[in-house]
Amino acid sequence: MMNNKKIWLSSPHMGSTELLNIQEAFNTNWISPMGPHVDGFESDLVEFTGVPYAAALSSGTAALHLALIILGITPGDEVLCQSLTFSASANPIVYVGSKPVFVDSEKDSWNMCPESLEKAIVERLKVGSKPKAIIVVHLYGMPANMSDIMSVAAKYEIPVIEDAAEALGSTYNGKACGSFGTMSVLSFNGNKIITTSGGGALLSDNDGHIKKARFLATQARDEAPHYQHSQIGYNYRMSNICAGIGRGQMEVLHQRVAQRRKNFERYKDAFNTIKGISFQTENVLSRSNRWLSAVLVDPKTAGCTREDIRLALAAQNIESRPLWKPMHLQPVFQHSPYYGGNVSEELFNNGLCLPSGSNLEDEDLERVVNVIYGCLSV
Ligand SMILES: *Cc1c(COP(=O)(O)O)cnc(C)c1O
């Protein structure tokens, strides 16, 4: 009989203590967006990343929004952002009324190209508009070229917001992704390497920034017996229930990284010798959590397009997805400035994310590989 079980791109994968933590939250009636699991989860993140301060929030998007507010980005300002990313990296720039300026990727890491970044800064300076922040992303868990990006940022004295939403468990030069930016963002959405069902965090080595984030995330209440506000606040804190799930997930994070890296090795072994198929590559400094394994399909040599592969997989009940469509090609950002060439566009045209969950069985990966073999001219 044909095995037609649905294979997902990246589905939640619970460990054994998440439910116990939820039970404990119920038993002690800590259900609100404060409580011992929230504090504990923040300590877990600090310990894991080595970044001294963390605020657990309702989403990665909320964390990015607060990072921009805390950096003092105001209407009319410009913010540089990697173009090849999920829209959640760029949308908060618009929430604060400022203007995104998009930057192309480099070929190996698929992340922000340091040369295009510098060109963008120089050009914006020429028109009298110095960008106020740089949002760099570690796509699919692959670390961006942080040494070059941080030195460009330092040269022009522009703070970096590190969008590490996809990169918890990745390292660059031996340091955790999420430990490079003035502030860094994590996501625990359902499809990420670990999940709290929905959630995020802001990390920083600046205590004041994180205190401010907690203040703004709980409606900016001044110290007073009544409710008093001298600033606009937000409802962005993580609940004690979600944080309980997060604490359980932190216990298995190392395993999850190992499982996802193993998926990648399986795909690499299968397609390494195939002309027309290539991968997002690590260098001597970078180690990816391989949140998603993706392939680039060169239609000239592979004998098929990434869309042929996607449709063949879908016909077998297997979910796959094209790479993120670059922001500078999105209708909603069509009037935003863009610097670079066509690297991100080519990646989008030819790239496909393959099933990458840490709960995939060997036979699931085998099914994926066989469907792709069927598409290739081998
Ligand atoms: C998931 C994601 C976000 C947003 O995180 P949410 O928790 O879903 O709001 C931001 N940036 C990138 C690159 C992401 O993948």
Side-chain angles (χ1 to χ4, degrees):
M1 203 187 78
M2 205 179 81
N3 176 2
N4 212 20
K5 185 188 85 181
K6 173 91 184 184
I7 299 180
W8 299 97
L9 188 70
S10 177
S11 71
H13 184 185
M14 291 297 113
S16 50
T17 57
E18 289 84 343
L19 207 51
L20 296 175
N21 290 345
I22 293 178
Q23 189 65 55
E24 187 192 312
F26 272 68
N27 292 347
T28 54
N29 205 30
W30 281 110
I31 310 296
S32 65
M34 56 193 276
H37 287 323
V38 176
D39 301 339
F41 187 45
E42 289 177 347
S43 311
D44 292 347
L45 294 172
V46 163
E47 191 183 328
F48 185 89
T49 59
V51 183
Y53 306 102
L57 301 168
S58 56
S59 70
T61 310
L64 275 158
H65 188 190
L66 292 182
L68 291 166
I69 294 169
I70 292 165
L71 286 178
I73 315 287
T74 47
D77 286 343
E78 291 188 352
V79 174
L80 294 154
C81 183
Q82 181 167 322
S83 185
L84 187 66
T85 185
F86 180 43
S87 63
S89 304
N91 286 339
I93 301 171
V94 181
Y95 300 169
V96 296
S98 74
K99 291 180 270 186
V101 175
F102 293 110
V103 179
D104 201 5
S105 287
E106 55 175 19
K107 279 191 172 144
D108 288 344
S109 73
W110 302 0
N111 291 307
M112 186 182 270
C113 168
E115 277 120 66
S116 299
L117 172 65
E118 181 154 22
K119 180 148 185 283
I121 296 170
V122 169
E123 294 294 319
R124 296 324 285 172
L125 284 171
K126 271 190 210 150
V127 297
S129 178
K130 182 176 172 179
K132 292 286 164 56
I134 298 167
I135 299 177
V136 59
V137 187
H138 307 298
L139 221 53
Y140 308 125
M142 182 63 68
N145 182 347
M146 291 313 283
S147 35
D148 290 353
I149 286 175
M150 294 311 289
S151 54
V152 172
K155 180 171 167 190
Y156 296 93
E157 299 182 330
I158 303 175
V160 170
I161 300 172
E162 201 187 338
D163 181 349
E166 304 178 358
L168 183 61
S170 300
T171 60
Y172 184 82
N173 203 7
K175 284 180 62 189
C177 282
S179 68
F180 292 88
T182 300
M183 274 176 279
S184 303
V185 167
L186 299 174
S187 168
F188 311 107
N189 197 18
N191 58 349
K192 298 286 155 72
I193 192 154
I194 61 166
T195 181
T196 58
S197 82
L202 189 66
L203 309 177
S204 179
D205 51 17
N206 181 322
D207 188 21
H209 286 343
I210 297 304
K211 285 206 175 100
K212 186 85 191 274
R214 293 199 190 105
F215 168 76
L216 292 172
T218 49
Q219 306 288 19
R221 278 142 66 171
D222 295 342
E223 263 181 64
H226 52 275
Y227 281 80
Q228 172 147 318
H229 309 275
S230 3
Q231 276 182 73
I232 295 296
Y234 302 85
N235 182 4
Y236 279 172
R237 201 70 162 117
M238 179 180 279
S239 86
N240 196 55
I241 300 277
C242 293
I245 302 175
R247 295 210 75 186
Q249 290 270 280
M250 286 304 286
E251 291 176 24
V252 292
L253 175 55
H254 283 296
Q255 266 164 268
R256 298 298 181 258
V257 172
Q259 285 154 326
R260 295 212 182 223
R261 286 184 62 88
K262 199 164 150 244
N263 293 337
F264 176 78
E265 289 306 320
R266 178 73 182 88
Y267 289 131
K268 193 158 176 234
D269 287 346
F271 306 123
N272 217 7
T273 56
I274 304 224
K275 256 199 239 116
I277 299 272
S278 57
F279 298 92
Q280 193 179 21
T281 50
E282 292 177 330
N283 60 36
V284 287
L285 295 177
S286 60
R287 188 173 190 276
S288 172
N289 65 8
R290 295 290 180 188
W291 170 57
L292 293 187
S293 291
V295 285
L296 278 187
V297 183
D298 177 0
K300 290 194 284 292
T301 44
C304 64
T305 64
R306 73 110 154 96
E307 200 52 15
D308 296 332
I309 296 180
R310 192 184 70 78
L311 292 171
L313 289 168
Q316 299 299 321
N317 212 16
I318 300 170
E319 186 184 28
S320 66
R321 192 160 306 147
L323 300 201
W324 303 123
K325 181 173 179 175
M327 291 304 114
H328 74 280
L329 301 175
Q330 298 286 357
V332 73
F333 291 124
Q334 63 185 321
H335 302 299
S336 300
Y338 168 74
Y339 293 90
N342 59 359
V343 175
S344 56
E345 185 168 1
E346 292 267 300
L347 288 166
F348 168 64
N349 287 338
N350 297 322
L352 188 68
C353 298
L354 301 178
S356 300
S358 47
N359 45 8
L360 291 174
E361 314 274 353
D362 288 344
E363 61 191 41
D364 298 331
L365 293 166
E366 179 103 4
R367 261 176 70 202
V368 177
V369 165
N370 284 335
V371 173
I372 299 176
Y373 276 146
C375 301
L376 300 167
S377 59
V378 280

